[in-house]
Amino acid sequence: MKLLFENWRKYLNESKLRVFDFDDTLAKTDAKVVATTPDGETFYMNPAEFSQHKKDDRNQYDFSEFDEVINPREIHQITNILRNAVSAPGQREIIILSARNPIAQEAVEEWLDSIGIDSSKINFVGLADPLPAAKANWIENRIIDGATNILFFDDSDTNVAAVKELKEKYKE
């Protein structure tokens, strides 16, 4: 009987956190990273290409197109999961955790509302940092603050791997 009460207490104290990436997870957009090499050559990368790109500190990178949501196309499989999370009974925190700058929040929220997802029930966190460690560090801080039931949706294998390491670090 004691075990039953302990399990029930854990359920009552559970803190549900649902985390969604934006680019190439919830939506495909036409925003590009503009990179300029030291010799002046400019090239453009979409989010998937940039995630595979080995960043060169000699290059200049311009992410300003990501301040807007350019020609968004919904990725229904994941937006349907987001819709279910938003409308599900019970308490949960829903986050869009993006490498985009915080200035993109309004554009992302407008797009969510335009496809029938209530953005008022979702918090946008713009990290302004494309490195996988940025997302992992943000989620780790949430674990430290008490999040116990976390679902993470991201198209980037490196982001998923960085967050998955936390599962090992914070085993129950």
Side-chain angles (χ1 to χ4, degrees):
M1 190 63 128
K2 181 180 177 190
L3 180 60
L4 176 66
F5 286 125
E6 287 175 9
N7 286 340
W8 182 250
R9 188 172 336 169
K10 180 180 172 187
Y11 174 76
L12 289 175
N13 294 327
E14 184 175 60
S15 172
K16 294 181 181 179
L17 177 64
R18 304 300 181 247
V19 181
F20 296 83
D21 173 49
F22 183 75
D23 289 289
D24 292 346
T25 300
L26 292 171
K28 293 266 188 201
T29 72
D30 290 340
K32 303 267 193 248
V33 176
V34 182
T36 306
T37 64
D39 64 359
E41 179 188 347
T42 299
F43 58 99
Y44 301 84
M45 295 173 279
N46 64 36
E49 292 165 338
F50 183 74
S51 73
Q52 301 300 313
H53 173 73
K54 184 169 169 53
K55 195 168 180 189
D56 184 338
D57 290 335
R58 296 173 298 162
N59 293 344
Q60 291 183 352
Y61 294 92
D62 177 359
F63 298 93
S64 61
E65 287 190 15
F66 291 90
D67 293 347
E68 302 172 48
V69 176
I70 301 170
N71 190 26
R73 281 125 16 237
E74 179 179 356
I75 300 174
H76 291 277
Q77 181 179 7
I78 305 301
T79 56
N80 287 339
I81 294 169
L82 178 59
R83 281 183 181 88
N84 289 337
V86 167
S87 64
Q91 295 284 62
R92 68 191 37 74
E93 184 177 9
I94 304 169
I95 304 290
I96 293 179
L97 184 61
S98 177
R100 289 174 177 244
N101 282 311
I103 197 169
Q105 178 175 348
E106 185 177 337
V108 169
E109 288 174 347
E110 286 176 5
W111 178 76
L112 289 169
D113 290 333
S114 78
I115 62 167
I117 297 176
D118 183 357
S119 67
S120 71
K121 296 182 178 183
I122 301 167
N123 292 319
F124 179 86
V125 176
L127 295 171
D129 187 340
L131 296 177
K135 287 187 178 184
N137 290 340
W138 188 91
I139 290 174
E140 183 171 27
N141 286 331
R142 294 309 317 250
I143 293 169
I144 292 167
D145 288 343
T148 57
N149 181 320
I150 301 167
L151 294 179
F152 179 66
F153 299 89
D154 199 302
D155 65 290
S156 167
D157 292 340
T158 55
N159 289 345
V160 171
V163 171
K164 201 172 200 177
E165 287 179 20
L166 297 173
K167 190 174 182 179
E168 289 300 312
K169 185 175 179 180
Y170 293 96
K171 285 184 178 178
E172 292 185 300

